[in-house]
Amino acid sequence: MITVSINGATRQFPESVSVGALVEEMGLAGKRIALERNGEIVPRGSFAAQQLEDGDRLEVVIAVGGG
């Protein structure tokens, strides 16, 4: 079991999950987002390769357009 903080909310997973899988699970696939893991920006191209670890802190920001 791993515990991850996402935008300040604690979430548990039975096993390690990739950033890409988490983005899909959160319904954010294809949306304009910025993701920070433990204070470091995660490039979109490496979402699938980045495995979350116990204690990771994520901040996810969704871009919203308007006019």
Side-chain angles (χ1 to χ4, degrees):
M1 180 80 63
I2 67 167
T3 302
V4 177
S5 172
I6 304 170
N7 293 346
T10 302
R11 192 147 170 209
Q12 291 188 322
F13 299 94
E15 58 188 15
S16 182
V17 63
S18 72
V19 171
L22 176 65
V23 167
E24 285 186 31
E25 182 180 311
M26 293 175 69
L28 301 175
K31 298 196 181 203
R32 294 175 30 185
I33 65 169
L35 192 140
E36 182 182 277
R37 178 183 178 202
N38 301 325
E40 302 276 332
I41 296 292
V42 178
R44 181 177 293 276
S46 67
F47 281 7
Q50 294 261 341
Q51 289 294 119
L52 296 177
E53 297 177 7
D54 191 43
D56 278 350
R57 291 174 291 107
L58 302 177
E59 293 294 326
V60 181
V61 178
I62 304 167
V64 178

Short mmCIF file of all heavy atoms in Angstrom, two decimals:
data_model
loop_
_atom_site.label_atom_id
_atom_site.label_comp_id
_atom_site.label_asym_id
_atom_site.label_seq_id
_atom_site.Cartn_x
_atom_site.Cartn_y
_atom_site.Cartn_z
N MET A 1 0.86 -1.17 0.00
CA MET A 1 0.00 0.00 0.00
C MET A 1 0.90 1.23 0.00
O MET A 1 1.84 1.31 0.78
CB MET A 1 -0.90 -0.03 1.23
CG MET A 1 -1.84 1.13 1.37
SD MET A 1 -3.35 1.06 0.40
CE MET A 1 -4.17 -0.36 1.03
N ILE A 2 0.62 2.19 -0.89
CA ILE A 2 1.35 3.45 -0.87
C ILE A 2 0.38 4.60 -0.61
O ILE A 2 -0.79 4.53 -0.98
CB ILE A 2 2.15 3.70 -2.17
CG1 ILE A 2 1.23 3.93 -3.37
CG2 ILE A 2 3.13 2.59 -2.45
CD1 ILE A 2 1.94 4.49 -4.58
N THR A 3 0.88 5.63 0.06
CA THR A 3 0.09 6.81 0.38
C THR A 3 0.70 8.01 -0.34
O THR A 3 1.90 8.24 -0.26
CB THR A 3 0.07 7.06 1.89
OG1 THR A 3 -0.46 5.90 2.54
CG2 THR A 3 -0.79 8.27 2.24
N VAL A 4 -0.15 8.76 -1.05
CA VAL A 4 0.28 9.90 -1.85
C VAL A 4 -0.62 11.08 -1.50
O VAL A 4 -1.82 10.92 -1.28
CB VAL A 4 0.17 9.58 -3.36
CG1 VAL A 4 0.52 10.76 -4.22
CG2 VAL A 4 1.02 8.38 -3.72
N SER A 5 -0.04 12.27 -1.43
CA SER A 5 -0.82 13.49 -1.21
C SER A 5 -1.05 14.16 -2.56
O SER A 5 -0.09 14.44 -3.29
CB SER A 5 -0.05 14.44 -0.29
OG SER A 5 -0.71 15.69 -0.22
N ILE A 6 -2.32 14.40 -2.91
CA ILE A 6 -2.67 15.05 -4.17
C ILE A 6 -3.43 16.32 -3.85
O ILE A 6 -4.54 16.27 -3.32
CB ILE A 6 -3.53 14.12 -5.06
CG1 ILE A 6 -2.80 12.80 -5.31
CG2 ILE A 6 -3.87 14.81 -6.38
CD1 ILE A 6 -3.64 11.74 -5.97
N ASN A 7 -2.80 17.46 -4.15
CA ASN A 7 -3.38 18.77 -3.83
C ASN A 7 -3.80 18.84 -2.36
O ASN A 7 -4.85 19.37 -2.03
CB ASN A 7 -4.54 19.11 -4.75
CG ASN A 7 -4.10 19.34 -6.18
OD1 ASN A 7 -2.93 19.49 -6.47
ND2 ASN A 7 -5.05 19.35 -7.10
N GLY A 8 -2.99 18.25 -1.49
CA GLY A 8 -3.24 18.31 -0.06
C GLY A 8 -4.13 17.22 0.49
O GLY A 8 -4.27 17.07 1.70
N ALA A 9 -4.75 16.43 -0.38
CA ALA A 9 -5.62 15.33 0.06
C ALA A 9 -4.86 14.01 -0.01
O ALA A 9 -4.22 13.71 -1.01
CB ALA A 9 -6.87 15.26 -0.81
N THR A 10 -4.94 13.22 1.06
CA THR A 10 -4.25 11.94 1.10
C THR A 10 -5.04 10.89 0.34
O THR A 10 -6.26 10.81 0.46
CB THR A 10 -4.07 11.49 2.57
OG1 THR A 10 -3.34 12.49 3.27
CG2 THR A 10 -3.33 10.17 2.65
N ARG A 11 -4.31 10.12 -0.44
CA ARG A 11 -4.94 9.06 -1.21
C ARG A 11 -4.07 7.81 -1.14
O ARG A 11 -2.85 7.91 -1.17
CB ARG A 11 -5.08 9.53 -2.66
CG ARG A 11 -5.95 8.65 -3.46
CD ARG A 11 -6.68 9.44 -4.50
NE ARG A 11 -7.32 8.50 -5.38
CZ ARG A 11 -7.59 8.72 -6.64
NH1 ARG A 11 -7.30 9.86 -7.19
NH2 ARG A 11 -8.15 7.80 -7.36
N GLN A 12 -4.69 6.64 -1.03
CA GLN A 12 -3.93 5.40 -0.94
C GLN A 12 -4.18 4.54 -2.17
O GLN A 12 -5.28 4.53 -2.73
CB GLN A 12 -4.31 4.63 0.31
CG GLN A 12 -3.84 5.33 1.57
CD GLN A 12 -4.06 4.48 2.80
OE1 GLN A 12 -5.05 3.77 2.92
NE2 GLN A 12 -3.10 4.54 3.72
N PHE A 13 -3.13 3.81 -2.55
CA PHE A 13 -3.19 2.89 -3.68
C PHE A 13 -2.63 1.55 -3.22
O PHE A 13 -1.68 1.51 -2.44
CB PHE A 13 -2.36 3.42 -4.86
CG PHE A 13 -2.83 4.75 -5.38
CD1 PHE A 13 -2.27 5.93 -4.91
CD2 PHE A 13 -3.84 4.81 -6.33
CE1 PHE A 13 -2.71 7.15 -5.38
CE2 PHE A 13 -4.28 6.04 -6.80
CZ PHE A 13 -3.72 7.21 -6.32
N PRO A 14 -3.18 0.45 -3.75
CA PRO A 14 -2.70 -0.87 -3.33
C PRO A 14 -1.27 -1.15 -3.78
O PRO A 14 -0.57 -1.94 -3.17
CB PRO A 14 -3.68 -1.84 -3.96
CG PRO A 14 -4.39 -1.08 -5.02
CD PRO A 14 -4.30 0.37 -4.65
N GLU A 15 -0.84 -0.50 -4.85
CA GLU A 15 0.51 -0.69 -5.37
C GLU A 15 0.93 0.56 -6.11
O GLU A 15 0.12 1.47 -6.32
CB GLU A 15 0.57 -1.89 -6.31
CG GLU A 15 -0.39 -1.78 -7.47
CD GLU A 15 -0.47 -3.07 -8.29
OE1 GLU A 15 -0.02 -4.12 -7.82
OE2 GLU A 15 -0.99 -3.00 -9.40
N SER A 16 2.19 0.61 -6.49
CA SER A 16 2.71 1.76 -7.21
C SER A 16 1.93 1.96 -8.51
O SER A 16 1.55 1.00 -9.17
CB SER A 16 4.19 1.58 -7.52
OG SER A 16 4.71 2.71 -8.17
N VAL A 17 1.70 3.21 -8.86
CA VAL A 17 0.96 3.56 -10.07
C VAL A 17 1.75 4.65 -10.78
O VAL A 17 2.45 5.43 -10.15
CB VAL A 17 -0.48 4.01 -9.70
CG1 VAL A 17 -0.49 5.25 -8.86
CG2 VAL A 17 -1.32 4.21 -10.93
N SER A 18 1.65 4.70 -12.10
CA SER A 18 2.36 5.73 -12.85
C SER A 18 1.57 7.04 -12.77
O SER A 18 0.36 7.06 -12.55
CB SER A 18 2.55 5.33 -14.31
OG SER A 18 1.32 5.37 -15.01
N VAL A 19 2.29 8.13 -12.99
CA VAL A 19 1.63 9.44 -13.04
C VAL A 19 0.58 9.43 -14.15
O VAL A 19 -0.53 9.93 -13.97
CB VAL A 19 2.67 10.57 -13.25
CG1 VAL A 19 1.98 11.89 -13.53
CG2 VAL A 19 3.58 10.69 -12.03
N GLY A 20 0.90 8.83 -15.28
CA GLY A 20 -0.03 8.76 -16.40
C GLY A 20 -1.31 8.03 -16.04
O GLY A 20 -2.41 8.47 -16.37
N ALA A 21 -1.20 6.90 -15.33
CA ALA A 21 -2.37 6.14 -14.92
C ALA A 21 -3.21 6.95 -13.93
O ALA A 21 -4.44 6.94 -13.99
CB ALA A 21 -1.97 4.81 -14.32
N LEU A 22 -2.56 7.68 -13.05
CA LEU A 22 -3.27 8.51 -12.08
C LEU A 22 -4.04 9.62 -12.80
O LEU A 22 -5.20 9.88 -12.48
CB LEU A 22 -2.30 9.11 -11.07
CG LEU A 22 -2.92 10.08 -10.08
CD1 LEU A 22 -3.92 9.37 -9.17
CD2 LEU A 22 -1.85 10.77 -9.27
N VAL A 23 -3.40 10.26 -13.77
CA VAL A 23 -4.04 11.33 -14.54
C VAL A 23 -5.30 10.78 -15.23
O VAL A 23 -6.35 11.42 -15.22
CB VAL A 23 -3.05 11.95 -15.55
CG1 VAL A 23 -3.76 12.82 -16.57
CG2 VAL A 23 -1.98 12.74 -14.82
N GLU A 24 -5.19 9.59 -15.82
CA GLU A 24 -6.35 8.97 -16.46
C GLU A 24 -7.44 8.67 -15.44
O GLU A 24 -8.62 8.93 -15.68
CB GLU A 24 -5.94 7.69 -17.18
CG GLU A 24 -5.21 7.95 -18.48
CD GLU A 24 -4.95 6.68 -19.25
OE1 GLU A 24 -5.76 5.74 -19.16
OE2 GLU A 24 -3.92 6.64 -19.95
N GLU A 25 -7.06 8.10 -14.30
CA GLU A 25 -8.04 7.74 -13.26
C GLU A 25 -8.77 8.98 -12.75
O GLU A 25 -9.94 8.91 -12.39
CB GLU A 25 -7.32 7.04 -12.11
CG GLU A 25 -8.25 6.59 -11.02
CD GLU A 25 -7.51 5.89 -9.90
OE1 GLU A 25 -6.69 5.00 -10.18
OE2 GLU A 25 -7.77 6.25 -8.73
N MET A 26 -8.07 10.11 -12.71
CA MET A 26 -8.67 11.36 -12.23
C MET A 26 -9.53 12.04 -13.30
O MET A 26 -10.13 13.08 -13.05
CB MET A 26 -7.57 12.32 -11.76
CG MET A 26 -6.83 11.84 -10.53
SD MET A 26 -5.45 12.92 -10.08
CE MET A 26 -6.34 14.39 -9.53
N GLY A 27 -9.58 11.44 -14.50
CA GLY A 27 -10.39 12.01 -15.58
C GLY A 27 -9.74 13.23 -16.22
O GLY A 27 -10.44 14.07 -16.80
N LEU A 28 -8.43 13.34 -16.14
CA LEU A 28 -7.72 14.51 -16.66
C LEU A 28 -6.94 14.23 -17.94
O LEU A 28 -6.27 15.12 -18.45
CB LEU A 28 -6.77 15.06 -15.59
CG LEU A 28 -7.43 15.49 -14.28
CD1 LEU A 28 -6.37 15.89 -13.27
CD2 LEU A 28 -8.40 16.61 -14.52
N ALA A 29 -7.04 13.01 -18.46
CA ALA A 29 -6.31 12.67 -19.70
C ALA A 29 -6.81 13.57 -20.82
O ALA A 29 -8.00 13.79 -20.99
CB ALA A 29 -6.53 11.21 -20.05
N GLY A 30 -5.87 14.13 -21.56
CA GLY A 30 -6.21 15.00 -22.69
C GLY A 30 -6.48 16.44 -22.31
O GLY A 30 -6.65 17.28 -23.18
N LYS A 31 -6.52 16.73 -21.02
CA LYS A 31 -6.76 18.11 -20.57
C LYS A 31 -5.43 18.81 -20.38
O LYS A 31 -4.39 18.19 -20.21
CB LYS A 31 -7.56 18.12 -19.28
CG LYS A 31 -8.92 17.49 -19.45
CD LYS A 31 -9.83 17.82 -18.34
CE LYS A 31 -11.14 17.10 -18.64
NZ LYS A 31 -12.25 17.66 -18.03
N ARG A 32 -5.47 20.13 -20.40
CA ARG A 32 -4.27 20.93 -20.20
C ARG A 32 -4.01 21.03 -18.70
O ARG A 32 -4.71 21.76 -17.99
CB ARG A 32 -4.44 22.30 -20.83
CG ARG A 32 -4.54 22.21 -22.34
CD ARG A 32 -4.83 23.51 -23.00
NE ARG A 32 -4.29 24.65 -22.24
CZ ARG A 32 -4.47 25.91 -22.55
NH1 ARG A 32 -5.18 26.22 -23.58
NH2 ARG A 32 -3.95 26.86 -21.81
N ILE A 33 -3.01 20.29 -18.24
CA ILE A 33 -2.68 20.29 -16.82
C ILE A 33 -1.18 20.50 -16.64
O ILE A 33 -0.39 20.25 -17.55
CB ILE A 33 -3.10 18.98 -16.10
CG1 ILE A 33 -2.30 17.77 -16.63
CG2 ILE A 33 -4.59 18.75 -16.21
CD1 ILE A 33 -2.48 16.53 -15.77
N ALA A 34 -0.83 20.94 -15.46
CA ALA A 34 0.57 20.98 -15.01
C ALA A 34 0.62 20.12 -13.76
O ALA A 34 -0.27 20.19 -12.92
CB ALA A 34 1.01 22.41 -14.72
N LEU A 35 1.66 19.32 -13.64
CA LEU A 35 1.78 18.42 -12.50
C LEU A 35 3.16 18.56 -11.88
O LEU A 35 4.16 18.53 -12.59
CB LEU A 35 1.55 16.97 -12.96
CG LEU A 35 1.36 15.97 -11.83
CD1 LEU A 35 0.28 14.98 -12.19
CD2 LEU A 35 2.65 15.27 -11.52
N GLU A 36 3.16 18.73 -10.59
CA GLU A 36 4.40 18.85 -9.82
C GLU A 36 4.47 17.68 -8.85
O GLU A 36 3.51 17.39 -8.15
CB GLU A 36 4.38 20.17 -9.07
CG GLU A 36 5.61 20.46 -8.28
CD GLU A 36 5.48 21.78 -7.53
OE1 GLU A 36 5.73 22.83 -8.13
OE2 GLU A 36 5.10 21.73 -6.34
N ARG A 37 5.62 17.03 -8.83
CA ARG A 37 5.85 15.90 -7.92
C ARG A 37 7.01 16.25 -7.00
O ARG A 37 8.12 16.46 -7.46
CB ARG A 37 6.18 14.65 -8.72
CG ARG A 37 6.48 13.44 -7.87
CD ARG A 37 6.87 12.28 -8.75
NE ARG A 37 7.21 11.13 -7.96
CZ ARG A 37 7.95 10.13 -8.39
NH1 ARG A 37 8.41 10.13 -9.62
NH2 ARG A 37 8.22 9.12 -7.60
N ASN A 38 6.72 16.34 -5.72
CA ASN A 38 7.74 16.67 -4.71
C ASN A 38 8.53 17.92 -5.08
O ASN A 38 9.75 17.97 -4.96
CB ASN A 38 8.68 15.48 -4.50
CG ASN A 38 7.95 14.24 -4.05
OD1 ASN A 38 6.97 14.32 -3.31
ND2 ASN A 38 8.40 13.08 -4.49
N GLY A 39 7.82 18.93 -5.59
CA GLY A 39 8.45 20.22 -5.90
C GLY A 39 9.08 20.31 -7.27
O GLY A 39 9.63 21.35 -7.63
N GLU A 40 9.01 19.25 -8.06
CA GLU A 40 9.60 19.24 -9.41
C GLU A 40 8.50 19.07 -10.45
O GLU A 40 7.66 18.17 -10.33
CB GLU A 40 10.57 18.07 -9.55
CG GLU A 40 11.70 18.06 -8.54
CD GLU A 40 12.87 18.94 -8.95
OE1 GLU A 40 13.07 19.13 -10.16
OE2 GLU A 40 13.55 19.45 -8.05
N ILE A 41 8.52 19.91 -11.49
CA ILE A 41 7.56 19.78 -12.58
C ILE A 41 7.81 18.46 -13.31
O ILE A 41 8.95 18.12 -13.61
CB ILE A 41 7.68 20.96 -13.58
CG1 ILE A 41 7.33 22.27 -12.90
CG2 ILE A 41 6.83 20.73 -14.82
CD1 ILE A 41 5.88 22.42 -12.51
N VAL A 42 6.74 17.74 -13.61
CA VAL A 42 6.84 16.48 -14.36
C VAL A 42 6.42 16.78 -15.80
O VAL A 42 5.27 17.15 -16.04
CB VAL A 42 5.93 15.39 -13.76
CG1 VAL A 42 6.02 14.11 -14.59
CG2 VAL A 42 6.27 15.12 -12.31
N PRO A 43 7.34 16.65 -16.76
CA PRO A 43 6.97 16.88 -18.16
C PRO A 43 5.91 15.88 -18.62
O PRO A 43 5.98 14.69 -18.26
CB PRO A 43 8.28 16.66 -18.93
CG PRO A 43 9.36 16.77 -17.91
CD PRO A 43 8.75 16.33 -16.62
N ARG A 44 4.95 16.34 -19.40
CA ARG A 44 3.86 15.49 -19.88
C ARG A 44 4.40 14.23 -20.56
O ARG A 44 3.84 13.14 -20.40
CB ARG A 44 2.97 16.27 -20.84
CG ARG A 44 1.80 15.47 -21.36
CD ARG A 44 0.91 16.29 -22.26
NE ARG A 44 0.23 17.34 -21.55
CZ ARG A 44 -0.91 17.20 -20.87
NH1 ARG A 44 -1.47 16.03 -20.82
NH2 ARG A 44 -1.47 18.21 -20.26
N GLY A 45 5.48 14.35 -21.28
CA GLY A 45 6.05 13.21 -22.00
C GLY A 45 6.57 12.10 -21.10
O GLY A 45 6.80 10.99 -21.55
N SER A 46 6.77 12.41 -19.82
CA SER A 46 7.28 11.37 -18.92
C SER A 46 6.23 10.88 -17.92
O SER A 46 6.57 10.13 -16.99
CB SER A 46 8.52 11.87 -18.17
OG SER A 46 8.18 12.91 -17.28
N PHE A 47 4.97 11.25 -18.10
CA PHE A 47 3.91 10.79 -17.19
C PHE A 47 3.88 9.27 -17.09
O PHE A 47 3.74 8.72 -16.00
CB PHE A 47 2.54 11.29 -17.65
CG PHE A 47 2.22 12.72 -17.29
CD1 PHE A 47 3.16 13.57 -16.73
CD2 PHE A 47 0.96 13.22 -17.54
CE1 PHE A 47 2.85 14.88 -16.41
CE2 PHE A 47 0.63 14.53 -17.23
CZ PHE A 47 1.57 15.36 -16.67
N ALA A 48 3.97 8.58 -18.22
CA ALA A 48 3.85 7.11 -18.22
C ALA A 48 5.04 6.45 -17.52
O ALA A 48 4.88 5.38 -16.92
CB ALA A 48 3.72 6.59 -19.64
N ALA A 49 6.20 7.08 -17.57
CA ALA A 49 7.41 6.47 -17.01
C ALA A 49 7.60 6.77 -15.53
O ALA A 49 8.33 6.06 -14.84
CB ALA A 49 8.64 6.95 -17.79
N GLN A 50 6.96 7.79 -15.01
CA GLN A 50 7.14 8.19 -13.61
C GLN A 50 6.24 7.35 -12.71
O GLN A 50 5.02 7.46 -12.77
CB GLN A 50 6.78 9.67 -13.44
CG GLN A 50 7.70 10.61 -14.14
CD GLN A 50 8.74 11.19 -13.22
OE1 GLN A 50 8.58 11.18 -12.00
NE2 GLN A 50 9.79 11.68 -13.81
N GLN A 51 6.84 6.53 -11.87
CA GLN A 51 6.09 5.72 -10.91
C GLN A 51 6.00 6.46 -9.58
O GLN A 51 6.99 6.97 -9.09
CB GLN A 51 6.77 4.37 -10.70
CG GLN A 51 6.68 3.42 -11.87
CD GLN A 51 5.26 2.98 -12.15
OE1 GLN A 51 4.74 3.25 -13.22
NE2 GLN A 51 4.64 2.31 -11.22
N LEU A 52 4.80 6.52 -9.04
CA LEU A 52 4.61 7.17 -7.74
C LEU A 52 5.17 6.27 -6.64
O LEU A 52 5.11 5.05 -6.74
CB LEU A 52 3.13 7.44 -7.49
CG LEU A 52 2.49 8.43 -8.45
CD1 LEU A 52 1.01 8.56 -8.15
CD2 LEU A 52 3.17 9.78 -8.38
N GLU A 53 5.70 6.92 -5.61
CA GLU A 53 6.25 6.19 -4.47
C GLU A 53 5.55 6.65 -3.19
O GLU A 53 4.98 7.74 -3.14
CB GLU A 53 7.75 6.46 -4.37
CG GLU A 53 8.53 5.95 -5.57
CD GLU A 53 10.00 6.29 -5.50
OE1 GLU A 53 10.45 6.80 -4.44
OE2 GLU A 53 10.69 6.04 -6.48
N ASP A 54 5.61 5.81 -2.18
CA ASP A 54 4.99 6.13 -0.90
C ASP A 54 5.53 7.47 -0.39
O ASP A 54 6.73 7.71 -0.38
CB ASP A 54 5.29 5.03 0.11
CG ASP A 54 4.47 5.16 1.37
OD1 ASP A 54 3.25 5.44 1.27
OD2 ASP A 54 5.04 5.00 2.47
N GLY A 55 4.61 8.37 -0.01
CA GLY A 55 5.00 9.66 0.54
C GLY A 55 5.12 10.77 -0.49
O GLY A 55 5.39 11.91 -0.12
N ASP A 56 4.93 10.47 -1.78
CA ASP A 56 5.01 11.52 -2.80
C ASP A 56 3.96 12.59 -2.55
O ASP A 56 2.86 12.30 -2.07
CB ASP A 56 4.80 10.95 -4.20
CG ASP A 56 6.06 10.34 -4.79
OD1 ASP A 56 7.15 10.52 -4.22
OD2 ASP A 56 5.95 9.69 -5.85
N ARG A 57 4.31 13.84 -2.87
CA ARG A 57 3.39 14.97 -2.80
C ARG A 57 3.18 15.50 -4.21
O ARG A 57 4.13 15.89 -4.88
CB ARG A 57 3.96 16.08 -1.92
CG ARG A 57 4.03 15.71 -0.46
CD ARG A 57 4.74 16.77 0.39
NE ARG A 57 6.17 16.79 0.05
CZ ARG A 57 6.79 17.75 -0.65
NH1 ARG A 57 6.13 18.80 -1.08
NH2 ARG A 57 8.08 17.68 -0.91
N LEU A 58 1.93 15.50 -4.67
CA LEU A 58 1.60 15.97 -6.01
C LEU A 58 0.75 17.22 -5.93
O LEU A 58 -0.13 17.32 -5.07
CB LEU A 58 0.83 14.91 -6.81
CG LEU A 58 1.51 13.56 -7.00
CD1 LEU A 58 0.56 12.63 -7.74
CD2 LEU A 58 2.80 13.70 -7.76
N GLU A 59 1.01 18.14 -6.84
CA GLU A 59 0.14 19.29 -7.05
C GLU A 59 -0.27 19.26 -8.50
O GLU A 59 0.58 19.19 -9.40
CB GLU A 59 0.87 20.61 -6.74
CG GLU A 59 1.23 20.79 -5.27
CD GLU A 59 0.03 20.92 -4.35
OE1 GLU A 59 -1.00 21.49 -4.78
OE2 GLU A 59 0.12 20.46 -3.21
N VAL A 60 -1.58 19.28 -8.75
CA VAL A 60 -2.11 19.22 -10.12
C VAL A 60 -2.89 20.50 -10.35
O VAL A 60 -3.79 20.85 -9.56
CB VAL A 60 -3.02 17.99 -10.31
CG1 VAL A 60 -3.53 17.93 -11.74
CG2 VAL A 60 -2.29 16.71 -9.94
N VAL A 61 -2.54 21.20 -11.44
CA VAL A 61 -3.23 22.44 -11.79
C VAL A 61 -3.84 22.24 -13.18
O VAL A 61 -3.15 21.80 -14.10
CB VAL A 61 -2.25 23.63 -11.81
CG1 VAL A 61 -2.96 24.90 -12.23
CG2 VAL A 61 -1.59 23.79 -10.46
N ILE A 62 -5.12 22.59 -13.30
CA ILE A 62 -5.83 22.47 -14.57
C ILE A 62 -5.97 23.84 -15.19
O ILE A 62 -6.45 24.79 -14.53
CB ILE A 62 -7.22 21.84 -14.37
CG1 ILE A 62 -7.08 20.48 -13.68
CG2 ILE A 62 -7.97 21.70 -15.69
CD1 ILE A 62 -8.38 19.92 -13.15
N ALA A 63 -5.53 23.98 -16.45
CA ALA A 63 -5.65 25.25 -17.16
C ALA A 63 -7.10 25.47 -17.56
O ALA A 63 -7.75 24.57 -18.08
CB ALA A 63 -4.76 25.25 -18.39
N VAL A 64 -7.60 26.68 -17.28
CA VAL A 64 -8.97 27.02 -17.62
C VAL A 64 -8.94 28.25 -18.52
O VAL A 64 -8.31 29.25 -18.20
CB VAL A 64 -9.79 27.35 -16.34
CG1 VAL A 64 -11.20 27.76 -16.70
CG2 VAL A 64 -9.80 26.16 -15.40
N GLY A 65 -9.57 28.11 -19.67
CA GLY A 65 -9.63 29.24 -20.62
C GLY A 65 -10.87 30.07 -20.37
O GLY A 65 -11.83 29.64 -19.76
N GLY A 66 -10.80 31.28 -20.80
CA GLY A 66 -11.97 32.15 -20.63
C GLY A 66 -11.77 33.40 -21.45
O GLY A 66 -10.73 33.63 -22.05
N GLY A 67 -12.76 34.21 -21.44
CA GLY A 67 -12.59 35.43 -22.21
C GLY A 67 -13.68 36.42 -21.90
O GLY A 67 -14.50 36.35 -21.09
#
